[in-house]
Amino acid sequence: MAALHVDPARSGLADILVEIVDARRRRVDQALAAAAGAADTPSIDSAPEVLTAETNRFLSGLEAQRGRAVIAEVKMGSPSLGSLEGRFDPVAQARTYAAHGAAALSVVVEPDYFFGSYELLRRCVDASGLPAI
């Protein structure tokens, strides 16, 4: 599947958003191509049924604090700020969020523009004990 390019003149999106979308699509296409031969690759036919608070830890965390739930974000940078590496400890931040009542974490894993990773997600979840997306 070829990456779809979004025309900023037609979409009204800022150029950087178009660039980020194009880059993510290329990465996803590469990952799908690499996984195409794997026997244990899930298919659309094996998609789980609708998630509920009883079957999903993230939804359960939000439901437990209904009306006052906070999803706290960990992000290692942005296109406008650049990398925040060395300016704060994301794992300590995730721990602090949990200690102060956050219901869940949002950990930005996009590597090219937001400097994240799935390793960062794992470390933040391990340190905080919170469900995360």
Side-chain angles (χ1 to χ4, degrees):
M1 169 194 291
L4 174 68
H5 177 75
V6 178
D7 180 0
R10 290 188 359 190
S11 70
L13 294 175
D15 289 343
I16 189 65
L17 295 178
V18 172
E19 188 178 318
I20 292 168
V21 168
D22 284 345
R24 288 307 302 154
R25 285 190 173 135
R26 282 192 302 277
R27 277 187 176 262
V28 168
D29 286 347
Q30 291 169 352
L32 289 172
D40 61 348
T41 302
S43 73
I44 191 70
D45 296 327
S46 66
E49 52 193 72
V50 175
L51 299 175
T52 66
E54 291 75 34
T55 62
N56 181 274
R57 188 167 174 250
F58 189 86
L59 294 176
S60 177
L62 297 181
E63 182 65 30
Q65 294 187 31
R66 190 180 233 1
R68 57 183 175 74
V70 171
I71 302 172
E73 183 176 71
V74 176
K75 178 168 63 172
M76 291 307 299
S78 72
S80 61
L81 292 174
S83 175
L84 298 175
E85 183 73 34
R87 294 170 61 185
F88 79 105
D89 180 348
V91 173
Q93 187 66 49
R95 217 178 280 119
T96 299
Y97 286 150
H100 289 89
L105 291 176
S106 169
V107 181
V108 180
V109 299
E110 196 286 323
D112 300 319
Y113 297 87
F114 293 91
F115 310 95
S117 68
Y118 287 104
E119 172 63 18
L120 173 65
L121 172 63
R122 184 194 61 74
R123 290 178 21 233
C124 288
V125 168
D126 288 351
S128 70
L130 294 172
I133 55 172

